[in-house]
Structure formats: structure tokens, C-alpha cells
Amino acid sequence: MGNVLVTGATGGIGTALVSALTQAGHQVTAVGRDIGRLDVPGIEADLAAPETLAAAVGPLDDVQALVHCAGISPVVAVADADPETWRRTMAVNVTSAAELVRLALPALRRSRGHVIFVNASPGLTGVARWSGFVGSKAALRELADSLREEEAAHGVRVTTVHPAATATDLLGEVRSAFGRPYDPAVCIRPESLAAMIVWLLDAPPDAYACDLSVLPSPR
């Protein structure tokens, strides 16, 4: 696999993924804000403003895979969520992913590449005070399924990864907002999830996993 475009590279899962990909011999390009601290090539871009991405990333001529790890997770009731909350959540979690895929598709088609969307817990449904996040992840799943149908003729693989609780700062913040305990020791390690994503990218040419649910091992 050649160059892998990774969003959310400065978050818990994304940072672990950049490290795992690099160790596996992949080239990595990170997309996002505050990426100067990473030891990989980066593209400064604001995923909350998808309309600016084309100018920010420029031509994506050398992309063999795109992994969308970026995401935000506001905990707010519908009664309290203003339009900006909804706009920003959908932009970062879904629309920016769709736009980057659109920009990278010529290269992905040439390379018969792979798109991976990091979604949310398998079987996630409606959750009080989490409608923006849950709604965006439902939309991301439908984006993946539609893209898979559209791009099969071009040889592009599309996978959705559904990780259960993963030990990240974001999960800690979400659990705190819900008033629930957060124990990283019983969660998936970001490094473990990253290893599984690398495994997906290294699948043999005649088969791949289109959906992958990842759960913590029994303790």
C-alpha cells in the first residue's frame, strides 16, 4: 500500500493509526488542524468547513487509501442543540469525509484503493442527549454503503469499522458528560484498533472485510 490519507490524526485513534501505518511501511499524510507536531507529512485543513477542503488539500494524485478517523461527539439534548451544533457535527463527522473521498476518488480508482470510515459502537441506536453524534454516525454508515455500491466497478474497497468503547480522551469526556464512569483498562486500546485497521488495508487482493465490529476482549 502506498500513501494513506488519515483524518483525525492528532486524536487517540488517529495518532495510534499513524504510528502503526508508519511502522508497517506505509506512507502517511495527515489531514486536519494542529498537525505540526506529527512526524508525517500533513495538510492543514478545517474539517468543520468542508467547502474549504478542495483548496486546502490541493490535488490528491497519490492516494491509495483514505481513513476517516476524525469525529466530534457533543452531548446535548435536541431541545438545547442549536443549528451550529448540528452543522459542525455533521460537517466533521460526515460531510468532510464525503468531500475528501470525492477529491481523492480519481487516485483511488487508479490504484483500486481502499476507503475506511471509523464509525461507532456496533448496533448504536438512539441515545438521549446524543442525537447529533448518533445521527451523524448513521449518516456515515449510509455514506459507506452507498459508496461501496457506486465504486465497486472501479475496484475501490469501502469498509466501515465499528469500535466499541476505545480508551481515548474523547471517550473520557463523553462519559463525564453523561455522568458515567470511564475506566480505560476495560476499553479497547487505540493501538489495538489501529493494528486492526492496518490489517484491513493489507487484505489480500481477492477479498476484504466491508464491515468490522471491534469489541473489548472479555476481562
Side-chain angles (χ1 to χ4, degrees), residues 48-117:
E51 68 278 6
T52 69
L53 290 177
V57 304
L60 297 175
D61 297 327
D62 181 29
V63 176
Q64 284 72 49
L66 189 160
V67 183
H68 183 65
C69 292
I72 58 175
S73 185
V75 178
V76 57
V78 174
D80 301 318
D82 59 21
E84 176 59 17
T85 300
W86 282 97
R87 186 206 66 79
R88 184 175 178 81
T89 303
M90 296 300 292
V92 174
N93 293 2
V94 185
T95 314
S96 62
E99 176 64 355
L100 286 172
V101 168
R102 183 183 73 84
L103 296 171
L105 264 179
L108 290 167
R109 288 171 174 174
R110 285 194 299 271
S111 64
R112 300 179 70 86
H114 203 154
V115 177
I116 295 179
F117 299 110

Side-chain angles (χ1 to χ4, degrees), residues 159-187:
T159 298
T160 295
V161 179
H162 295 278
T166 305
T168 63
D169 291 342
L170 179 59
L171 179 62
E173 294 168 5
V174 169
R175 291 281 177 88
S176 176
F178 277 115
R180 296 173 55 192
Y182 168 58
D183 181 0
V186 298
C187 297

